């Protein structure tokens, strides 16, 4: 189900103060990177990822591949930082950035 503009705005507000928790390397999108991204999304729901690619088009392609591989939705991309969201099946109140922001 696509997010409404109000939901995207709320997620951008929450994600503004987050630090990038993952960074792509020289090898790009590997299986181990995808597994780690899935773990982080399951724990935190909203994560920032730093995408290292030399050109804007390559960064866009890599972010789109990340979204497809993880099932996450791109909330915002500024430069080489992407903010990704995927709702967790059972969110942990101590780890979820969404639940912690509501307190």
């Amino acid at each position: 189900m696509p997010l409404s503009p109000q939901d995207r705005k709320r997620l951008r507000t929450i994600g503004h103060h987050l630090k990038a928790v993952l960074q792509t390397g020289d090898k790009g999108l590997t299986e181990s990177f995808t597994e780690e991204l899935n773990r982080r999304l399951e724990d935190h729901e909203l994560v920032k990822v730093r995408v290292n690619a030399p050109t804007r088009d390559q960064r866009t392609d890599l972010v789109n591949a990340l979204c497809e591989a993880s099932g996450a939705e791109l909330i915002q991309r500024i430069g080489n930082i992407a903010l990704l969201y995927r709702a967790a099946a059972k969110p942990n109140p101590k780890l979820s950035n969404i639940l912690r922001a509501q307190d």
Side-chain angles (χ1 to χ4, degrees):
M1 181 172 149
L3 296 171
S4 69
Q6 293 84 12
D7 290 337
R8 286 182 177 280
K9 184 175 182 179
R10 182 177 62 88
L11 292 172
R12 281 195 310 267
T13 302
I14 295 168
H16 178 73
H17 297 288
L18 298 178
K19 302 248 189 257
V21 295
L22 289 172
Q23 180 173 341
T24 60
D26 294 335
K27 296 180 182 178
L29 186 60
T30 62
E31 185 177 330
S32 60
F33 184 85
T34 305
E35 289 173 6
E36 185 63 26
L37 176 62
N38 285 325
R39 271 189 240 119
R40 298 288 173 102
L41 283 168
E42 191 61 37
D43 288 342
H44 301 291
E45 296 184 280
L46 185 69
V47 297
K48 275 187 179 176
V49 178
R50 183 177 303 273
V51 179
N52 291 333
T55 67
R56 180 181 297 172
D57 293 334
Q58 288 175 336
R59 283 193 297 267
T60 302
D61 292 342
L62 193 53
V63 168
N64 290 336
L66 285 172
C67 290
E68 288 177 20
S70 66
E73 189 159 345
L74 178 64
I75 301 302
Q76 183 178 35
R77 185 175 79 83
I78 299 176
N80 62 345
I81 303 290
L83 183 63
L84 303 177
Y85 170 74
R86 186 180 74 194
K90 292 178 118 182
N92 184 341
K94 293 184 179 184
L95 294 177
S96 172
N97 291 319
I98 308 299
L99 296 177
R100 289 187 310 162
Q102 293 174 354
D103 292 338

